[in-house]
Amino acid sequence: MKQENMNKADFLTSIFLFLFGLTVFIISIKMPTFRELGANPYSAPGIIPAILGIILSFMGIILFIRSVIHKGCKIRLSSQSIKLFVKSDSIKRLLIALFLSIFYVILLGKINYFLLTVIYIFIFIIAFEFSIKKSIFCQSKILFFAFLESIFIAGSIAFAFRYLFLVRLP
Amino acid sequence: MFQGLMQLGYELSKFLTVKLIFDVLWSTQLGIIVGMLPGLTATMGVALMTTLTYKLASSHAVLILICMYIGAIYGGSRTAILINIPGTPANAATTVDGNPLAKQGKAGPAMGIATTGSFLGSLFGMMMLAIFTPILGNAALSFYSFEYFWLTIFGIIICGTLTAPKDPLKGWISGFFGLFVATIGMEGMHAYRRFCFGNIDLGGGIALLPAMIGVFGFSEILMVMKQPAVKIVSRKIEKVIPSLKDIMKYWQTIIRSGIIGTIIGAIPGVGEDIGAWVSYDFAKKASKEKEKYGKGSIEGLIAAETGNNAAVAGAIIPVLSLAIPGSAPAAVLLGAMLIHGIRPGPLLIIENPNFIYEVVAMIFMATCAMFILGLSFIKLFCKILLIPRERLMPVIFCLCVIGSYALSSRMFDILVMAVFGLIGYAMKEMNYPVAPSVLGIILGGLLDKNFRRSLILTEGNILPLFTRPISFVLFLFILFTILSRMKWFEDFLKNLKVIIIKPFKKKKTN
C-alpha cells in the first residue's frame, strides 16, 4: 500500500479502534462484580477487559493524531479511482479467491463434503487457468487435469480424516 | 552435567526405532517442502500438522511437529537462493547473499552452505536449550502473579516493537488486540461469559489453533493469490556438499550467529526472521570482507541461516520453561503440547523433568534428518516449485478448513478460521504484524488471571507490582522499550550523553 493510502487507512482504523476500545470499556464496567455473592471485588471479570479497552482507545487516539498530521483525514473517493481499484488484476484475483473460499465455508455442512470440495477445487483452478477467449477444445487438458486433481485431493482428504483420523466430516 | 548427558542418551535411544526414524524423515522432508513453497510458512505447516497428529501419542506427535518446524525454517532457504523469494519470512536475510551466489552459477554450493549453516545453528540452539531451559525453569519458580503480569506485558511490548520496527505502535495495537480476543468466552474465576452476547459457541472462547490457521493460513492464501504469478527460472545445480575449509573459515561467525539466533528466538513472539536479520547485521559489522555482502557473501549466507535455525531451538526455551512462545510456530507447538496433555511452564521441571531432554533429543533427530535430506534429492524436490499456485492454494484452504474443524468437530471453529483469516489479511495489508496478536491470544489468560490474583492478594494495592525486585526490573524494561521508540526520548538520551561526556573531553584537551 502506498504511504498516502496508508495514512488514510490509519485514519479510518484509528476511529474504529477508538470506538471499539470505548465499547469494550463500557461493556466491561457493566459486568457483574459478584460482590453480593461474597466474592472479592478485585476478582471482577471486567477488570482486565476494561483496562484493555482504555489502552486500545488511547492507542486509537495516538494513531488518529498521527494520521491527521500526515493528512490522512483527506479522503477523496472518486468514481474513477474506485473503478481503477476494482479493475486491477490483483484485486480481481483476490476477490475471486475470497468469494470462492467464503462460499465453500458457507456451504459446508449443507452439501456433501466430498462433492463440495471437488466443486470448490475444480472451480478455483478453472477460475484462474481457464480463458474465456480461447475455445473449450484447446483447453480440454486444463479441464481434465483440474477435474482429476479435484477428485484426487477431495477423496484423499475425505478418506484420511474420515477413516484414519476418525473425524465426522462436516 | 554427566547425568544430563546420560538422560539425553536415554531419551535419544527411545527414538531410534525404524518407525520413528521413518516418521522423522518424512515429516522433516514435508517441512522442507512446506518451507520451500512461497506462501506456505512454518507456522501454517506446524498448525496443519497439529491437526493431523492429534490422535498420536504425545511424544510421537511433538516429534513430528518439531521435525516439520525445523525442516520448514530450513526449507525456505532453497527458494531464497534459487528465485530470490524467501520461502518463509525467516529466510528473508538469506536472499541478500544467497541469490547473488545462484546468479554467479553457485546455486549448488550456496544450498550446501545454507544447509550446513542451518545444521550448525540448530545444533548450537539445541545445546543452549539443554543448558538454559532448566536454569530458566528454576528461576521461573520464584515468579509470582506480579511477575507473570509484567512478563506478559513485556512479551507483548517487545514482540510488537521487534516485529514492527518501523512503526511499533501498530505492533502494540496488534498485541493488545490479541489480549482482548483472549478475554472472549468464559473466564476462570466466576465462569462469567464475557463478550458472548448470548452466543453459546463464543462461551467456549476463541480456540488458538483455528485462529492461528486463519491468521497464518487463510490470510496468506489471499496474499499469495493477490500477487502476480512468479516466473520460476530453473538454475543449474551442481556440487552441493560444501568444503570444510569454507565452513571452518567462518567459525567465529557461526558461533556468534548461533548465540544471537538463540537469544532472539527466546524473546517472546519475536521469531526466526528477526534472529536471521540480527545475526546477518552483526556478521556484516564484524566482517573483514564487508564489500562482499549483498553480492554473494558466503559469510553472510552462513550468518543468516545459522541465526534463523538457532532461533528455532531458542524459541522453544521459553515454551518449556515459562509456557510463553518465542515465535509463531513455537506458539502452535505450545498449543499442540497442551492438546496432548503436556503442561509446559515452570512446573514442568518438577512434574516432567525428562521431557526437556526428550525435546532436546527430538531437535537432534530433526536436525540430523534436515542435514541429510538437505544435501540429497535437491534437484528432485526443487521441481515442486513448478506447481502453480492456482492448483496448490485451494488444496491448502481445504486443509485449513478441515484442520480447524477436526480438533473439536465444531463448525464454529471453521468460522473462527475464516474470520481471523480476513482480520489477518487486513492487518497485513495495513502493515500490522500478526505475531503479537497471536502472542496476545496465548498470553491473555495468563494476564487476566495473574492481574486479578495479585489485586486480591494485595486487597487492591497495586504498589507491589512496582516494588518487588523482579517486577520492578520488568517494568523498567517495558518503560524503556516504549520510551526508546519516541523521538523526544532519543533526543533526550543524546543530550544526556553529550552532557556526561563533555566534562571528560575538556579534561583531556587540558
Side-chain angles (χ1 to χ4, degrees):
Chain A
M1 203 185 277
K2 284 178 190 169
Q3 191 53 47
E4 193 189 331
N5 293 339
M6 187 65 82
N7 293 333
K8 289 174 186 172
D10 283 351
F11 177 73
L12 295 174
T13 314
S14 68
I15 296 169
F16 170 76
L17 198 65
F18 174 74
L19 293 175
F20 178 74
L22 200 67
T23 314
V24 169
F25 175 72
I26 292 167
I27 295 172
S28 304
I29 55 168
K30 283 182 180 171
M31 284 179 191
T33 57
F34 298 101
R35 201 180 277 189
E36 66 280 7
L37 299 174
N40 190 313
Y42 297 109
S43 69
I47 293 179
I48 278 290
I51 294 171
L52 291 175
I54 294 170
I55 293 172
L56 286 172
S57 284
F58 177 69
M59 289 199 278
I61 294 169
I62 297 173
L63 198 64
F64 179 83
I65 295 167
R66 213 180 61 177
S67 62
V68 168
I69 291 169
H70 292 117
K71 294 172 184 171
C73 52
K74 289 179 181 171
I75 299 168
R76 286 188 213 99
L77 282 176
S78 64
S79 56
Q80 204 181 353
S81 64
I82 295 171
K83 264 183 194 172
L84 277 174
F85 177 75
V86 177
K87 276 187 175 177
S88 73
D89 279 347
S90 59
I91 296 298
K92 270 184 200 165
R93 282 195 300 269
L94 171 74
L95 290 178
I96 292 170
L98 179 65
F99 282 121
L100 284 175
S101 306
I102 294 295
F103 272 119
Y104 177 66
V105 168
I106 291 169
L107 292 173
L108 266 175
K110 297 180 180 83
I111 301 177
N112 175 281
Y113 175 79
F114 172 73
L115 188 68
L116 182 66
T117 308
V118 169
I119 294 169
Y120 168 71
I121 297 174
F122 182 74
I123 295 178
F124 199 103
I125 296 170
I126 294 301
F128 287 99
E129 291 193 354
F130 196 79
S131 169
I132 310 165
K133 288 168 190 169
K134 292 177 191 171
S135 74
I136 295 178
F137 293 107
C138 68
Q139 295 181 89
S140 55
K141 207 175 158 187
I142 294 174
L143 288 170
F144 176 72
F145 281 107
F147 184 67
L148 211 66
E149 184 187 329
S150 55
I151 294 264
F152 177 73
I153 298 293
S156 307
I157 294 174
F159 177 80
F161 278 88
R162 179 74 190 88
Y163 297 105
L164 298 180
F165 307 128
L166 305 175
V167 174
R168 211 162 59 93
L169 295 172
Chain B
M1 168 105 180
F2 189 68
Q3 199 188 355
L5 280 173
M6 289 275 285
Q7 190 62 43
L8 178 62
Y10 171 70
E11 297 299 339
L12 202 57
S13 69
K14 283 203 303 191
F15 291 118
L16 294 176
T17 64
V18 178
K19 190 182 180 305
L20 286 179
I21 290 173
F22 175 71
D23 284 345
V24 166
L25 289 173
W26 73 255
S27 51
T28 310
Q29 186 60 61
L30 192 63
I32 294 173
I33 293 170
V34 165
M36 265 171 68
L37 292 166
L40 302 191
T41 58
T43 315
M44 194 201 278
V46 180
L48 288 176
M49 193 49 85
T50 303
T51 64
L52 297 173
T53 53
Y54 76 106
K55 294 260 177 184
L56 296 177
S58 57
S59 59
H60 194 171
V62 175
L63 173 69
I64 289 174
L65 296 180
I66 286 178
C67 290
M68 165 64 83
Y69 186 5
I70 289 178
I73 295 295
Y74 156 71
S77 67
R78 290 191 179 176
T79 336
I81 293 166
L82 290 174
I83 56 172
N84 203 23
I85 294 174
T88 70
N91 309 96
T94 310
T95 56
V96 183
D97 284 302
N99 191 248
L101 278 169
K103 281 180 181 165
Q104 291 163 24
K106 295 175 187 167
M111 281 198 274
I113 285 163
T115 310
T116 315
S118 299
F119 173 71
L120 295 172
S122 197
L123 280 186
F124 195 89
M126 183 197 79
M127 285 191 286
M128 301 273 266
L129 185 138
I131 297 165
F132 288 106
T133 307
I135 296 171
L136 197 62
N138 276 323
L141 284 172
S142 57
F143 281 24
Y144 288 89
S145 303
F146 313 95
E147 285 79 18
Y148 270 107
F149 166 75
W150 284 122
L151 198 65
T152 50
I153 300 287
F154 174 72
I156 293 297
I157 296 293
I158 199 88
C159 178
T161 310
L162 292 177
T163 51
K166 284 181 189 164
D167 194 355
L169 178 67
K170 290 189 173 178
W172 301 335
I173 290 173
S174 170
F176 281 99
F177 171 71
L179 288 175
F180 163 74
V181 171
T183 64
I184 297 171
M186 198 183 282
E187 51 88 41
M189 286 190 182
H190 303 288
Y192 180 75
R193 290 164 186 239
R194 294 185 291 204
F195 308 105
C196 293
F197 311 106
N199 187 314
I200 297 166
D201 286 320
L202 270 177
I206 304 290
L208 174 69
L209 270 167
M212 283 196 79
I213 292 173
V215 164
F216 289 101
F218 185 30
S219 72
E220 205 58 46
I221 291 170
L222 296 176
M223 290 296 277
V224 170
M225 291 315 295
K226 195 188 165 194
Q227 305 300 328
V230 182
K231 279 187 181 170
I232 310 286
V233 184
S234 62
R235 292 193 188 282
K236 212 178 167 189
I237 301 166
E238 330 80 29
K239 187 187 161 228
V240 177
I241 296 167
S243 67
L244 197 66
K245 199 181 131 196
D246 269 351
I247 304 298
M248 288 309 289
K249 192 178 165 190
Y250 301 112
W251 66 272
Q252 283 172 315
T253 308
I254 292 168
I255 293 173
R256 191 193 312 111
S257 303
I259 295 170
I260 293 168
T262 315
I263 294 170
I264 297 284
I267 298 172
V270 175
E272 299 80 15
D273 44 346
I274 311 280
W277 278 117
V278 177
S279 301
Y280 183 83
D281 199 40
F282 269 79
K284 193 177 176 182
K285 278 177 188 161
S287 177
K288 288 171 190 165
E289 36 193 50
K290 286 189 185 79
E291 70 287 349
K292 284 187 183 173
Y293 276 71
K295 294 170 191 161
S297 161
I298 291 174
E299 189 181 20
L301 180 62
I302 287 182
E305 277 303 305
T306 308
N308 66 21
N309 267 73
V312 173
I316 301 175
I317 296 175
V319 167
L320 296 176
S321 53
L322 301 165
I324 292 173
S327 68
V332 190
L333 195 66
L334 172 64
M337 285 179 185
L338 294 170
I339 288 170
H340 285 283
I342 301 160
R343 287 205 312 151
L347 291 177
L348 184 76
I349 202 114
I350 296 165
E351 291 174 354
N352 194 1
N354 294 346
F355 186 68
I356 294 169
Y357 293 103
E358 220 174 301
V359 171
V360 174
M362 289 173 191
I363 293 175
F364 182 73
M365 298 274 289
T367 306
C368 292
M370 176 202 75
F371 188 59
I372 295 163
L373 294 167
L375 295 177
S376 45
F377 311 118
I378 285 186
K379 282 179 196 169
L380 179 73
F381 284 107
C382 280
K383 286 193 175 146
I384 289 167
L385 285 173
L386 299 171
I387 299 174
R389 60 189 184 155
E390 292 82 7
R391 288 175 182 265
L392 189 65
M393 290 304 146
V395 180
I396 302 297
F397 185 70
C398 289
L399 286 173
C400 287
V401 168
I402 196 74
S404 308
Y405 175 80
L407 290 169
S408 46
S409 297
R410 286 200 311 170
M411 287 298 283
F412 178 72
D413 286 336
I414 299 178
L415 203 66
V416 167
M417 184 277 295
V419 170
F420 273 81
L422 294 176
I423 294 173
Y425 174 76
M427 285 173 75
K428 283 174 188 173
E429 276 289 330
M430 292 191 286
N431 286 354
Y432 286 84
V434 289
S437 281
V438 172
L439 190 68
I441 298 175
I442 294 168
L443 299 182
L446 206 66
L447 175 86
D448 184 31
K449 197 170 64 187
N450 285 295
F451 185 67
R452 285 195 280 166
R453 197 177 283 164
S454 46
L455 283 183
I456 293 166
L457 286 171
T458 59
E459 277 302 314
N461 183 8
I462 57 163
L463 217 60
L465 283 169
F466 302 95
T467 51
R468 290 172 61 89
I470 302 172
S471 288
F472 184 65
V473 171
L474 284 169
F475 166 71
L476 283 184
F477 265 126
I478 293 165
L479 196 68
F480 186 76
T481 310
I482 296 171
L483 290 177
S484 66
R485 302 312 306 242
M486 292 176 186
K487 212 177 171 300
W488 65 266
F489 190 74
E490 271 180 42
D491 294 340
F492 168 74
L493 281 182
K494 272 181 198 165
N495 291 337
L496 197 73
K497 206 174 161 186
V498 172
I499 292 165
I500 293 169
I501 293 170
K502 215 176 176 181
F504 293 102
K505 272 190 175 174
K506 270 184 183 174
K507 271 180 192 173
K508 249 187 180 179
T509 47
N510 287 340

